[in-house]
Amino acid sequence: RGGVHEHTTLEALPDSAIRGLTAGLRPLQATSVLEAARGNPLFARAAVAAFRRHPEAERVADVLRLAEGGRTAVLTAAVSSDIAALPVASRRTLAALAVVGRPLAPEVLADLSGLTPEAVELGTRDLRTRGLLTASPHETLHPVVRYSAYQDTDPRQRADIHRRAAHLPEADLFEQADHLAQAMPHITAAELAVILRASAVALGSRPRAVLTWLRDLPPPLRTVASDTVLAR
């Protein structure tokens, strides 16, 4: 009786505030943090810290690749154990979210995870119940959860999700190349053509991105065109 309750809702931070957290990073790294954080300061700080541990990385996807296998933190190990105990539908839904790194519509999650819409709904509900997801349009996965889920996903399944994400209608050419580069060595010749097309556009302004896209190209997929672009 007589109790007073105050409820405060925090909206996503503006881009200018997130950029303020990226002091000391290179411009492309800062832009990658901005795009990945989507206004979430916790994710922004974690991504900035990851870039400082791996200064050679250019994008958040590079940090995920470089950090793979480095699960030495107790918190990360504990989260990995909890993720392993999730039901299959929840784990595959979480894996799709970890690969893309942003909130997704149920039908998109179904396409990426290979689940039915009903299974995605069950998985999403379970993840929300466990506190891994929220209904906020601004919320992203906690970085520890995302990194753990990404690293613990079977490499072949992870590559399959990256390939599906590359073919989403909203994915631009560079996003397609980013995803397909993470799907090595499972891409097709047609998907290699997408990477080469992106490389031709990025060669003059983002040569490091081209190196990232092509450096793990398996010998069976190497062509005169890919070797020439890589040499340039």
Side-chain angles (χ1 to χ4, degrees):
R1 190 170 72 177
V4 176
H5 299 272
E6 293 186 358
H7 186 126
T8 302
T9 299
L10 301 181
E11 298 291 340
L13 289 180
D15 288 354
S16 58
I18 295 295
R19 283 199 180 277
L21 302 177
T22 64
L25 297 185
R26 296 194 299 276
L28 188 57
Q29 292 174 328
T31 299
S32 183
V33 171
L34 187 70
E35 293 172 351
R38 296 170 65 86
N40 185 324
L42 179 60
F43 192 99
R45 287 186 181 277
V48 168
F51 276 126
R52 287 175 179 155
R53 287 195 303 272
H54 301 285
E56 70 274 30
E58 291 284 355
R59 302 175 67 83
V60 171
D62 297 335
V63 174
L64 289 173
R65 178 182 54 78
L66 291 167
E68 185 170 5
R71 291 170 287 169
T72 56
V74 174
L75 179 58
T76 303
V79 172
S80 296
S81 177
D82 287 343
I83 290 174
L86 291 172
V88 173
S90 302
R91 197 163 59 249
R92 289 176 66 177
T93 300
L94 184 61
L97 288 167
V99 165
V100 178
R102 66 176 186 272
L104 297 169
E107 60 272 15
V108 178
L109 272 177
D111 288 341
L112 294 181
S113 63
L115 298 169
T116 64
E118 294 75 19
V120 166
E121 177 61 32
L122 288 174
T124 302
R125 191 181 307 135
D126 180 45
L127 293 173
R128 285 196 179 121
T129 299
R130 296 170 186 267
L132 295 174
L133 295 179
T134 73
S136 169
H138 305 298
E139 189 66 37
T140 58
L141 291 173
H142 187 286
V144 173
V145 175
R146 186 188 177 195
Y147 292 171
S148 298
Y150 188 90
Q151 293 170 9
D152 292 341
T153 300
D154 175 77
R156 188 64 189 253
Q157 181 189 356
R158 189 169 60 208
D160 183 61
I161 296 173
H162 274 296
R163 292 177 67 195
R164 291 169 185 252
H167 296 290
L168 291 176
E170 63 269 24
D172 62 30
L173 186 59
F174 285 5
E175 288 175 328
Q176 291 175 349
D178 282 338
H179 281 298
L180 293 174
Q182 298 295 326
M184 301 290 186
H186 307 293
I187 66 170
T188 64
E191 289 168 335
L192 172 59
V194 173
I195 295 179
L196 292 178
R197 194 160 64 249
S199 297
V201 176
L203 196 57
S205 59
R206 291 178 52 191
R208 285 180 178 270
V210 179
L211 287 173
T212 299
W213 295 335
L214 293 175
R215 66 186 166 200
D216 294 327
L217 193 63
L221 283 174
R222 291 179 60 181
T223 64
V224 172
S226 68
D227 285 349
T228 301
V229 171
L230 192 55
R232 290 178 65 191

